[in-house]
Amino acid sequence: MEELNLTGFQPATFHLTGFPGLEPAHRWIAIPFCALYATSIAGNCAVLAVVRRDPRLHEPMYLFLCMLSFNDLGVSLSTLPTVLALFCFGLSDVAFDACLAQMFFIHSFSFMESGILLAMSLDRFVAICSPLRYASTLTNARIGRIGLAIALKSTAMLCPFPFLIKRLPICKSNVLSHAYCLHPDMMRLACADITVNNIYGFFAILFTYGLDSMFIIFSYIMILKTVLSIASRDQRRKALNTCIAHICAVLSFYVPIIAVSVLHRFGKNVPSVAHILMSNVYLFIPPLLNPIIYSVKTKEIRKGFSRMFS
């Protein structure tokens, strides 16, 4: 157990861990992480550049895609400083307040991603169920207000988290389970009642992921109902093809979250490395996959890349 250097009730620093027992191999582990960061950042920046440069892509679907790419950049950049510092340079200590700030941004961007995926499902719902009202319903001003509402809601939901951690006396240890700071990981180190943290954390997850996923499922039920009422088989296929990229993005985001929750609740006897791997998948895979999914599945984005690089 790491020796605590207490300032009041909190340690001056938290000690981050990558993969316990594999410390000598951290330099090698840094290679795939660096490749992952480089691919995620380059892919999302490329999507933003393509949409910005091509006036034909200044439509609601692609504006929401830009929001998703911008948010994925935020997720990657939130974890990057501590992950690369630990694996590349062996710097495992992070100041208490810096850890709180990182926790806030990681969870905020994660909540925002859920809201953006919901907004993208609304875009597909309007495009397929009310195509004649699509342009008048999703105007640029309204899209901007939706993006602002998502950011404000996520930030407001996360604001209490740093204060809930700050009030706790951290005296069990200062060793965190990951190479970055997360709320559940920090609160388990407290030697006080964490019921409030648990209740508010559960409420925030239910209010964000729970409601968003319910509305996404409902929108796709309505989309499927509309598509099945279309007489032409080719038109049905075209309508569904416009949703494939979004469905893949939703699955790449929510499946790891469900897996992490199941492991946390029922995987008490599962090796700790499984928990660490699933947490890494939950944070690192969606920002990596989203630009790839939309580049492969969306013809207009592929054409935009061809025009940009040619």
Side-chain angles (χ1 to χ4, degrees), residues 30 91-92 163 181 207 220 267 301:
L91 302 175
S92 57
F163 299 103
C181 305
F207 189 74
Y220 271 102
I301 296 291

Side-chain angles (χ1 to χ4, degrees), residues 90-134:
L91 302 175
S92 57
D93 289 334
V94 58
F96 180 82
D97 288 334
C99 201
L100 285 179
Q102 186 184 50
M103 175 202 72
F104 176 82
F105 284 113
I106 288 174
H107 289 302
S108 291
F109 283 120
S110 182
F111 279 17
M112 276 188 245
E113 181 133 355
S114 179
I116 293 167
L117 290 172
L118 172 59
M120 294 174 87
S121 74
L122 172 67
D123 167 75
R124 292 298 84 208
F125 170 77
V126 176
I128 292 172
C129 299
S130 301
L132 298 178
R133 298 171 57 192
Y134 182 65

Side-chain angles (χ1 to χ4, degrees), residues 71 106-116 150 153-155 157-158 161 201 204-205 208-209 212 253 282:
N71 189 79
I106 288 174
H107 289 302
S108 291
F109 283 120
S110 182
F111 279 17
M112 276 188 245
E113 181 133 355
S114 179
I116 293 167
I150 291 169
K153 176 199 165 193
S154 302
T155 305
M157 289 296 295
L158 261 297
F161 276 58
I205 289 171
T208 304
Y209 298 143
D212 289 352
F253 179 72
Y282 148 65

Side-chain angles (χ1 to χ4, degrees), residues 11 38 59 69 118 169 186 188 250 263 281:
E59 296 179 5
S69 292
L118 172 59
M186 296 170 74
R188 72 175 178 82
V250 169
L263 271 180
V281 167

Side-chain angles (χ1 to χ4, degrees), residues 70-290:
F70 186 80
N71 189 79
D72 284 340
L73 284 173
V75 174
S76 296
L77 295 175
S78 296
T79 58
L80 184 146
T82 55
V83 171
L84 293 191
L86 176 64
F87 289 122
C88 295
F89 306 106
L91 302 175
S92 57
D93 289 334
V94 58
F96 180 82
D97 288 334
C99 201
L100 285 179
Q102 186 184 50
M103 175 202 72
F104 176 82
F105 284 113
I106 288 174
H107 289 302
S108 291
F109 283 120
S110 182
F111 279 17
M112 276 188 245
E113 181 133 355
S114 179
I116 293 167
L117 290 172
L118 172 59
M120 294 174 87
S121 74
L122 172 67
D123 167 75
R124 292 298 84 208
F125 170 77
V126 176
I128 292 172
C129 299
S130 301
L132 298 178
R133 298 171 57 192
Y134 182 65
S136 61
T137 301
L138 292 175
T139 61
N140 288 346
R142 193 163 288 164
I143 291 169
R145 287 196 292 270
I146 290 171
L148 182 61
I150 291 169
L152 289 176
K153 176 199 165 193
S154 302
T155 305
M157 289 296 295
L158 261 297
C159 273
F161 276 58
F163 299 103
L164 289 173
I165 292 293
K166 199 100 173 173
R167 72 185 181 88
L168 294 173
I170 308 293
C171 56
K172 288 183 179 178
S173 170
N174 67 335
V175 181
L176 298 177
S177 305
H178 304 288
Y180 38 82
C181 305
L182 298 176
H183 177 256
D185 205 18
M186 296 170 74
M187 74 178 183
R188 72 175 178 82
L189 302 179
C191 50
D193 186 12
I194 57 172
T195 303
V196 175
N197 293 65
N198 278 321
I199 291 173
Y200 186 75
F202 179 73
F203 165 75
I205 289 171
L206 195 64
F207 189 74
T208 304
Y209 298 143
L211 280 180
D212 289 352
S213 59
M214 262 179 44
F215 284 123
I216 290 170
I217 291 168
F218 176 74
S219 68
Y220 271 102
I221 290 172
M222 298 304 294
I223 287 169
L224 195 59
K225 185 179 175 182
T226 302
V227 168
L228 291 176
S229 67
I230 298 173
S232 168
R233 188 173 179 178
D234 284 341
Q235 287 180 327
R236 287 202 300 268
R237 182 175 55 80
K238 279 183 181 180
L240 287 174
N241 277 343
T242 65
C243 299
I244 287 176
H246 178 252
I247 292 170
C248 292
V250 169
L251 291 175
S252 74
F253 179 72
Y254 279 104
V255 169
I257 287 177
I258 294 168
V260 167
S261 300
V262 169
L263 271 180
H264 181 68
R265 294 284 181 271
F266 307 108
K268 303 298 181 185
N269 299 321
V270 175
S272 61
V273 69
H275 291 271
I276 295 168
L277 281 172
M278 283 313 304
S279 294
N280 287 334
V281 167
Y282 148 65
L283 280 176
F284 297 137
I285 295 305
L288 174 71
L289 287 184
N290 287 338

Side-chain angles (χ1 to χ4, degrees), residues 41-89:
I41 292 171
N44 286 294
C45 285
V47 169
L48 290 171
V50 164
V51 176
R52 182 178 178 275
R53 284 169 59 100
D54 195 337
R56 284 165 288 193
L57 298 181
H58 294 178
E59 296 179 5
M61 176 181 175
Y62 305 108
L63 296 178
F64 284 124
L65 177 58
C66 283
M67 286 187 199
L68 185 67
S69 292
F70 186 80
N71 189 79
D72 284 340
L73 284 173
V75 174
S76 296
L77 295 175
S78 296
T79 58
L80 184 146
T82 55
V83 171
L84 293 191
L86 176 64
F87 289 122
C88 295
F89 306 106

